[in-house]
Amino acid sequence: MPSSSKPEPRLLFIAGSAREKSWNKKLARLGENIADANGIKATFADLADYPMPIYCGDIEVNDGPPSNARKLKALMGVHTGIFIASPEYNASFSPLLKNAIDWVSHVKDDGEAPLQVYKSRVFAVGSASPGGMGGLRGLSQLRLVLETGLGALVLPDQFVVPKAVDAFDENGHLKNKDNQELFKVLIQKLARAAHVLHG
Ligand SMILES: Cc1cc2nc3c(=O)[nH]c(=O)nc-3n(C[C@H](O)[C@H](O)[C@H](O)COP(=O)(O)O)c2cc1C
């Protein structure tokens, strides 16, 4: 890990699916394990543990953002790099993920600039799908939201797992060792970028 007075980078791995057997959770968990095995502090967060109502302005006015949006934002805040693995739904990313992103974007803590939690982290994105394109098309939509909507820095590199049903072994590793290595390289790059830009 980089040697400087800055704190070490911490990476958060999130999947845009709450499904128990989600391929994207498998990918996010694999990312956490790879980071861990390479000396990078890492956390996996399961969105199933952060249920939130579909965003509605009336809920926000009457009750404020849900406590799980506050909790998720706080978790994001203690990590400097965030990897999101999202399913592709009809060429976009999942509504579960969009809803969580939207709610978190409306949690504002005292003295904080708008969207600070997005603007002060580095993101990388990936996807897994039973289909042959691996969910690639949804990632351009996710990038649009993160970069244009929220002002986040998203690494140009991304990681896609096509035909996910056959891609993972029984330990959750990618059977294709070259692909597993490529994923490791992306995670290491995310950690370096997070360290350089945000400490
Ligand atoms: C409404 C809907 C739309 C979908 N659209 C796509 C698609 O455009 N491309 C694709 O590769 N898979 C598509 N899928 C299949 C998902 O990739 C598949 O269900 C995947 O397993 C979901 O991710 P998860 O395993 O992480 O839950 C779609 C699934 C649903 C429910």
Side-chain angles (χ1 to χ4, degrees):
M1 277 289 84
S3 60
S4 80
S5 56
K6 284 181 174 183
E8 286 184 8
R10 294 178 64 98
L11 301 187
L12 180 62
F13 292 83
I14 302 176
S17 173
R19 201 169 70 86
E20 197 183 331
K21 297 201 167 152
S22 158
W23 300 112
N24 287 281
K25 278 193 203 177
K26 234 179 182 15
L27 181 59
R29 283 205 170 97
L30 174 61
E32 181 206 18
N33 290 339
I34 291 174
D36 203 42
N38 287 276
I40 299 164
K41 291 194 168 61
T43 308
F44 168 77
D46 189 340
L47 285 187
D49 295 332
Y50 297 82
M52 300 172 206
I54 294 287
Y55 178 86
C56 169
D58 290 342
I59 297 176
E60 185 175 13
V61 168
N62 292 331
D63 305 327
S67 60
N68 280 331
R70 296 187 178 282
K71 281 185 200 159
L72 185 59
K73 182 188 169 222
L75 186 69
M76 291 167 67
V78 295
H79 295 80
T80 48
I82 301 177
F83 177 84
I84 302 176
S86 180
E88 178 178 290
Y89 285 169
N90 298 322
S92 188
F93 63 99
S94 67
L96 175 81
L97 180 58
K98 181 68 163 61
N99 194 49
I101 288 173
D102 287 344
W103 271 122
V104 168
S105 76
H106 272 214
V107 177
K108 192 166 177 305
D109 291 311
D110 287 347
E112 193 178 65
L115 305 177
Q116 192 168 309
V117 76
Y118 290 106
K119 292 181 178 175
S120 57
R121 257 116 275 277
V122 183
F123 288 79
V125 295
S127 62
S129 165
M133 294 177 73
L136 181 71
R137 298 175 307 169
L139 295 184
S140 53
Q141 306 296 313
L142 180 54
R143 281 181 182 281
L144 182 76
V145 169
L146 291 170
E147 293 174 345
T148 308
L150 302 165
L153 177 68
V154 186
L155 292 186
D157 316 57
Q158 56 191 28
F159 189 77
V160 169
V161 181
K163 306 213 178 298
V165 180
D166 298 319
F168 295 92
D169 69 17
E170 64 282 4
N171 298 315
H173 296 157
L174 291 168
K175 290 180 192 164
N176 183 315
K177 294 302 158 207
D178 292 341
N179 288 345
Q180 172 111 354
E181 180 65 20
L182 282 174
F183 193 27
K184 182 181 101 178
V185 169
L186 171 58
I187 290 163
Q188 289 175 322
K189 192 167 184 177
L190 178 61
R192 280 200 305 278
H195 183 71
V196 168
L197 289 171
H198 303 303

